[in-house]
Amino acid sequence: NRVQERAPAHLDEESLWKILSEVREFNYQEYRLTAGYQPFELEVMKDAFKQFDKDHSGQISFSELTAVLGSMNKLPKSKDEQNRLMALIRRIDDGSGELDFTEFLRLLRTWDNTAKREEVKRELAVGEECGFRHEQTRRAKEIFSLVDQDNSRMLEPSEVRVLLQRAGVNPKPQEMQEILIWASDFAQHRKKVWTLDMCGFLRLWKKLMENEIVGDL
């Protein structure tokens, strides 16, 4: 709106470039403040940040960062991911040993982007292992994402049931129980509860195909 108010009725080339420069600068400053996250995502992150900013200083320590990431379900899931996160923290640390909210967002954006790239590589590799083409693996990801409403990247047994139903699979109760047992074989277990990530889902689908319960992706 601000740019529109200042725009002349007829733009010459110099005026156009000036407006474009202003737009780019505005977008850059906006990105610096939000790290590209949507308003509803920022609210979640602010709540998580404030929860551990006990003295209301607007800063959290690096030692508290693990707790913040844990509350947002963004903790590293492997030793390799832990090492990458530590390298990122060392790069961002200015010597104070603390992060303000803007620095926290920058770290989170870099961490999210890195995690997503590695996740896609891993999923495509597992898809190839299962004999799926890349477009089939991407199609499976779309099905998976439809059911993963909380964006946790993990499916609980009840969500696996919904996913199969949306894929057109309606097994009898006994067959469903057997499918869930297969799913648990490919799942991550924690305190007697299992959850299925995308790689586990690909392996489960391959198993279902082998038993002629589902068709190809």
Side-chain angles (χ1 to χ4, degrees):
N1 290 340
R2 183 182 61 191
V3 172
Q4 289 177 344
E5 289 171 3
R6 296 176 58 181
H10 300 286
L11 293 176
D12 55 28
E13 187 174 346
E14 183 179 349
S15 298
L16 178 61
W17 279 111
K18 184 177 180 182
I19 290 173
L20 288 174
S21 296
E22 288 184 9
V23 170
R24 288 195 190 100
E25 177 63 20
F26 176 80
N27 289 340
Y28 172 72
Q29 295 300 335
E30 186 75 9
Y31 186 86
R32 284 193 63 190
L33 292 174
T34 66
Y37 289 110
Q38 297 297 317
F40 72 92
E41 294 175 304
L42 289 171
E43 286 304 313
V44 171
M45 293 168 189
K46 283 177 184 176
D47 289 344
F49 189 91
K50 288 177 182 177
Q51 182 182 350
F52 294 92
D53 178 20
K54 302 296 186 183
D55 60 358
H56 307 293
S57 65
Q59 309 267 342
I60 59 169
S61 67
F62 284 108
S63 60
E64 292 169 326
L65 179 61
T66 300
V68 179
L69 292 176
S71 72
M72 299 173 64
N73 196 32
K74 291 181 180 290
L75 281 175
K77 292 182 171 65
S78 67
K79 186 69 176 176
D80 197 37
E81 286 186 356
Q82 289 174 7
N83 291 337
R84 283 201 297 271
L85 179 60
M86 290 307 299
L88 178 58
I89 289 172
R90 285 193 294 271
R91 197 165 78 228
I92 288 179
D93 188 7
D94 59 3
S96 68
E98 292 186 323
L99 287 171
D100 63 23
F101 187 65
T102 300
E103 291 170 329
F104 171 68
L105 286 180
R106 279 175 43 217
L107 181 145
L108 210 55
R109 170 51 66 198
T110 305
W111 175 241
D112 278 347
N113 289 348
T114 301
K116 284 176 182 175
R117 283 195 300 270
E118 292 301 316
E119 186 178 75
V120 169
K121 283 170 57 178
R122 188 167 60 252
E123 290 167 0
L124 290 175
V126 170
E128 289 178 0
E129 170 196 313
C130 292
F132 297 133
R133 299 186 303 277
H134 284 188
E135 60 265 30
Q136 290 176 302
T137 299
R138 293 190 182 98
R139 199 175 305 137
K141 182 75 170 183
E142 290 172 5
I143 297 171
F144 186 96
S145 299
L146 282 173
V147 181
D148 182 26
Q149 295 295 328
D150 59 357
N151 295 317
S152 65
R153 298 179 296 168
M154 306 294 286
L155 299 183
E156 297 176 359
S158 60
E159 292 175 311
V160 172
R161 290 174 186 268
V162 174
L163 187 150
L164 292 171
Q165 289 166 356
R166 290 199 178 186
V169 181
N170 292 294
K172 296 175 183 177
Q174 186 175 349
E175 291 174 326
M176 178 61 83
Q177 191 60 35
E178 188 173 9
I179 290 172
L180 292 178
I181 290 172
W182 291 339
S184 72
D185 291 338
F186 304 124
Q188 300 179 28
H189 294 256
R190 191 175 185 181
K191 296 180 180 178
K192 297 183 179 180
V193 176
W194 61 260
T195 52
L196 197 69
D197 65 7
M198 179 59 191
C199 292
F201 170 60
L202 289 169
R203 293 187 173 106
L204 173 62
W205 198 273
K206 180 67 173 178
K207 179 80 171 179
L208 295 174
M209 285 174 57
E210 290 170 349
N211 286 269
E212 300 181 350
I213 295 173
V214 298
D216 206 350
L217 283 162

